[in-house]
């Protein structure tokens, strides 16, 4: 081993300033990588260090970090990238969004571990990265096209089908607060308004093509370790129940499972049981529409189920639904028809919208209409009845174009509820300003707890137990698919990190590192104005309105139980009773640099 | 005679594990771009089409290699096309694409650093890509009929047939 290979590997990032169009390659301090691994963890660290307190998420100086992890492009299923930024949907929390497919590995093969985006271009641009060649190109002709069209047009323009393209759609351009960034047509980094940040920077797309090998510390060791993981995953296709489920049905099959448990969003969280589940569930999709499976990079499971709408008014449209993109749109808006539900989910992908937030907001508007809070006039004549697909599409066009009622809804459910008034805030199911995803907290208390405590706002990607949270934050930082957590022993990742990065790392670091990453995000939120005690809460409906149907009929998530659960979690995570990390604990896990901010915050609390 | 790589295109999930396995086996690197098999994404979906040398018995690429160069040769024993790296015009800086243009399936890719054309040699009868393929889209077929030249088609041609096969119609949107 010589030269580069003798030392531990560092991270090589592209720093792109869209204001003055400068491009630089920078290396991060190696202790950051060692302590925060990559992806989500490292993104949080950079956000803390590189951005000013209380900055506007859509201002030119706001930054976005698109980061891979040490295992991206190396192991099967190591395909993900984590986009970290300040969330434009909440305005005062961290936002991160994860997407798989092939883009991350391609960036790795181009020789970069991540991209820092900052500044703001006056004219629309897109970024072209081909190995050492990095160019900011004009995107005037792409502005206004859907994410699908953009990907195709860029591949044609660059005359290479192998480019992997991340792109925003019209929703991101028009600064809809929950716009997403899409790739490979159906894959999106959707949550928290990632596409909005791009739209504000005038960035339409990033196209990447890499033709180099991955740099590693100990190549024979890596090849051996990844070979073992590959063997394990190959055998999991058939001998692990979760593995087989993903291979056979993908994850939209879990619509039915969660419905059986009485926790599937129904009619804007009024119920946890959807009676029409057999008409829209994963089993019917498998029988009627399924065409073929697709995978992220290297993954032998292939959980994305590509399909074709074969009947109804949307016949002939290609679709690829999963649980998160359909739960809020289908049962959440009471759509009883599979073709409409999966097409609507595709429509959101095309236009570059987060299907989860969009479904939630649509359900909210429908309930407002049902209860007379929104009149036909308020809705510009759209008859927004439960399950009315034509009305939904009409409303969504208005959201994307920011017209009339669409302009109000495009700012997120929290803002919309305030703007509409008249008791609408009781129907807005959000936490910290981010819309609830597919579970009803009354039907699953654990899900409810994680909605409240999660740093980026409600999501079931945060994890409900300490163990699950640690696994998930590790997965997003390594980066690997978070579904591997049920299939793969963490020791395998440690062996891989030893060989890929040359680190002397033991499994004992697992919990400490995870806690460091999670509490840093919590400290960041506090710095930006979140008051944990007041903001780690659930909407009132969760505590007071019992479900009436299904297995969990009659149940609520009582406020006292929620407060007790939250307190227990605070204690387990080393926080005090108000949800603020304890000073001595911050020191223990290597977050001493956050202490001044935390001290200032607690002093501010006691003095008021 | 060796067998042939048999691809069930509808099974391919586009994960590129085959490319990684090939690159590890042939280049000893994590380097999908240098693999002898290459998964192309075509059209809506997108559809994933793995493409590699089909070892045509009439080997038009070998015929097309310029008379004075003859960097390519056909091994009738195994059916493999072999490359003489020193003779190939591309290693001398020329942008020759004669073999690519002759290939009925436009299947030839070039090494990203060494520039030479890459031909699948079936790993002497134990293809690494087949072992790595989770959905079993790739298999090793020993049936002598399978070498038939008409199976060497371009990714676009294959995708056209595959669209009808998996989606049940020609026109999709």
């Amino acid at each position: 081993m010589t030269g580069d290979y003798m030392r531990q590997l560092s991270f090589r990032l592209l720093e792109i300033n869209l204001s003055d169009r400068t491009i630089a390659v920078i290396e991060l301090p190696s202790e950051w990588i060692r302590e925060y691994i990559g992806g989500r963890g490292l993104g949080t660290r950079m956000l803390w260090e590189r951005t000013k307190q209380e900055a506007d998420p859509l201002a030119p100086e706001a930054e976005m970090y698109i980061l891979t992890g040490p295992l991206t492009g190396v192991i099967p299923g190591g395909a993900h990238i984590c986009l970290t930024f300040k969330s434009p949907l909440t305005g005062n929390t961290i936002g991160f969004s994860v997407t798989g497919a092939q883009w991350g590995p391609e960036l790795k093969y181009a020789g970069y571990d991540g991209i820092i985006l900052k500044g703001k271009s006056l004219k629309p641009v897109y970024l072209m990265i081909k190995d050492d060649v990095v160019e900011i190109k004009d995107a005037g002709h792409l502005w206004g096209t859907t994410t699908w069209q953009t990907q195709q047009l860029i591949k044609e323009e660059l005359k290479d089908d192998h480019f992997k393209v991340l792109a925003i759609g019209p929703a991101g351009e028009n600064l809809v607060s929950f716009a997403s960034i899409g790739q490979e047509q159906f894959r999106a980094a959707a949550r928290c308004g990632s596409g909005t940040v791009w739209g504000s920077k005038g960035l339409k797309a990033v196209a990447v093509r890499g033709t180099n090998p991955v740099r590693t510390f100990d190549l024979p060791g890596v090849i051996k370790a990844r070979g073992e993981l590959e063997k394990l995953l190959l055998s999991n296709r058939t001998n692990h129940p979760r593995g087989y489920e993903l291979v056979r049905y993908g994850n939209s099959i879990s619509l039915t499972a969660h419905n059986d448990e009485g926790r599937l969003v129904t009619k804007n969280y009024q119920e946890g049981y959807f009676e029409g589940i057999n008409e829209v569930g994963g089993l019917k999709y498998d029988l009627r529409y399924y065409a073929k499976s697709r995978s992220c990079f290297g993954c032998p499971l292939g959980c994305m189920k590509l399909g074709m709408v074969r009947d109804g008014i949307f016949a002939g449209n290609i679709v690829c639904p999963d649980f998160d993109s359909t739960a809020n749109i289908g049962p959440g808006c009471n759509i009883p028809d599979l073709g409409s539900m999966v097409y609507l989910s595709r429509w959101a992908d095309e236009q570059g919208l987060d299907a989860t937030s969009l479904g939630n907001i649509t359900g909210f508007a429908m309930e407002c209409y049902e209860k007379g809070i929104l009149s036909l006039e308020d809705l510009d004549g759209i008859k927004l009845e439960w399950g009315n697909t034509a009305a939904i599409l009409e409303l969504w066009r208005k959201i994307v174009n920011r017209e009339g009622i669409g302009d109000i809804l495009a700012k997120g459910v929290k803002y919309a509820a305030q703007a509409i008034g008249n008791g609408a805030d009781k129907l807005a199911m959000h936490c910290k300003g981010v819309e609830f995803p597919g579970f009803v907290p009354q039907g699953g208390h654990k899900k409810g707890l994680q909605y409240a405590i999660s740093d980026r706002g409600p999501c079931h990607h945060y994890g409900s137990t300490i163990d699950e949270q640690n696994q998930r934050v590790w997965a997003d930082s390594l980066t690997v698919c978070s579904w591997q957590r049920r299939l793969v022993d963490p020791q395998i990742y440690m062996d891989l990190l030893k060989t890929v990065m040359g680190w002397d790392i033991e499994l004992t670091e697992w919990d400490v590192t995870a806690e460091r990453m999670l509490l840093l995000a919590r400290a960041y939120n506090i710095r930006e104005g979140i008051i944990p005690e007041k903001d780690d809460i659930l909407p009132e409906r969760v505590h007071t309105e019992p479900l009436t149907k299904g297995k969990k009929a009659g149940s609520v998530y009582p406020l006292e139980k929620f407060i007790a659960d939250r307190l227990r979690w605070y204690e387990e995570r080393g926080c005090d009773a108000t949800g603020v990390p304890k000073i001595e604990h911050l020191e223990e896990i290597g977050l001493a640099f956050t202490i001044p901010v935390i001290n200032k915050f607690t002093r501010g609390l006691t003095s008021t | 005679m060796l067998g042939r790589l048999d691809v069930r295109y509808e099974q391919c999930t586009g994960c590129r594990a085959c490319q990684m396995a090939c690159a590890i086996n042939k280049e000893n690197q994590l380097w999908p771009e240098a693999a002898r098999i290459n998964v192309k994404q075509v059209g809506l979906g997108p559809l994933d089409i793995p493409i590699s040398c089909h070892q045509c018995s009439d080997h038009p690429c070998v015929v097309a290699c310029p008379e004075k160069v003859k960097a390519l040769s056909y091994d009738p024993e195994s059916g493999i096309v072999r490359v003489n790296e020193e003779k190939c015009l591309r290693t001398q800086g020329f942008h020759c694409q004669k073999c690519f243009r002759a290939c009925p399936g436009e299947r030839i890719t070039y090494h990203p650093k060494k520039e030479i054309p890459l031909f699948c040699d079936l790993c002497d009868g134990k293809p690494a890509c087949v072992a790595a393929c989770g959905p079993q889209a790739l298999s090793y077929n020993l049936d002598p009929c399978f070498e038939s030249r008409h199976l060497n088609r371009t990714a676009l041609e294959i995708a056209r047939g595959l669209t009808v096969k998996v989606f049940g119609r020609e026109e999709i949107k």
Side-chain angles (χ1 to χ4, degrees), chain A residues 102 184-185 211 294-295 298 346, chain B residues 14-15 31 41 45 48 173:
Chain A
Q102 305 273 351
E184 284 189 11
Q185 294 161 15
T211 64
R294 298 204 69 236
S295 281
R346 158 196 155 138
Chain B
C15 73
W31 198 359
Q41 294 183 351
D48 306 291
K173 50 189 177 183

Side-chain angles (χ1 to χ4, degrees), chain A residues 73 102 106 162 184-185 209 211-214 219 226 234 237 291-292 294-296 298 308 310 316 318 346, chain B residues 12-16 20 24 28 30-33 38 41 43-46 48 113 134-135 166-167 169 172-173:
Chain A
Q102 305 273 351
E106 200 72 24
H162 289 290
E184 284 189 11
Q185 294 161 15
R209 174 91 168 96
T211 64
N212 299 310
V214 187
L219 189 61
R226 81 173 291 288
L234 280 169
R237 275 178 61 88
K292 81 187 273 285
R294 298 204 69 236
S295 281
C296 294
M308 167 62 47
R310 299 188 205 262
I318 190 168
R346 158 196 155 138
Chain B
C12 177
T13 63
C15 73
R16 302 206 285 169
M20 197 56 130
I24 288 173
N28 212 11
L30 305 173
W31 198 359
E33 188 65 22
N38 198 335
Q41 294 183 351
L44 279 183
D48 306 291
K113 288 282 164 323
V166 301
F167 296 124
R169 59 181 76 208
I172 57 171
K173 50 189 177 183

Side-chain angles (χ1 to χ4, degrees), chain A residues 245-267:
Chain A
E245 190 179 272
L246 291 172
V247 170
R248 178 67 182 80
Y249 297 107
N251 74 351
S252 60
I253 195 75
S254 44
L255 281 169
T256 311
H258 293 303
N259 196 52
D260 290 347
E261 288 301 314
R263 57 177 179 227
L264 179 70
V265 49
T266 307
K267 289 176 100 175

Side-chain angles (χ1 to χ4, degrees), chain A residues 94-165:
Chain A
I94 186 171
F96 67 84
S97 203
V98 182
T99 178
Q102 305 273 351
W103 196 93
E106 200 72 24
L107 185 72
K108 205 82 166 182
Y109 302 138
Y112 309 101
D113 298 292
I115 299 179
I116 301 171
L117 294 173
K118 59 180 185 184
K120 175 187 174 137
S121 172
L122 295 175
K123 279 191 243 156
V125 290
Y126 78 92
L127 199 62
M128 194 279 298
I129 302 168
K130 186 173 185 187
D131 297 333
D132 294 337
V133 185
V134 183
E135 284 172 24
I136 299 174
K137 287 175 167 278
D138 177 55
H141 58 298
L142 300 171
W143 210 246
T145 57
T146 65
T147 58
W148 294 24
Q149 290 161 340
T150 306
Q151 291 164 34
Q152 197 50 42
L153 288 168
I154 287 181
K155 285 179 186 184
E156 281 165 19
E157 185 175 313
L158 300 173
K159 297 190 178 64
D160 187 349
D161 280 344
H162 289 290
F163 267 99
K164 305 289 184 284
V165 185

Side-chain angles (χ1 to χ4, degrees), chain A residues 35 53 108 170 219 256 409 441 478-479 512 587:
Chain A
E35 286 170 18
Q53 192 171 356
K108 205 82 166 182
L219 189 61
T256 311
L409 297 174
L478 278 171
T479 59
V512 184
E587 253 166 33

Side-chain angles (χ1 to χ4, degrees), chain B residues 50-70:
Chain B
I51 292 288
S52 71
C53 171
H54 188 68
Q55 294 95 20
C56 308
S57 47
D58 59 351
H59 41 273
C61 49
V62 177
V63 179
C65 192
E67 196 58 45
K68 288 181 183 160
V69 181
K70 281 294 166 227

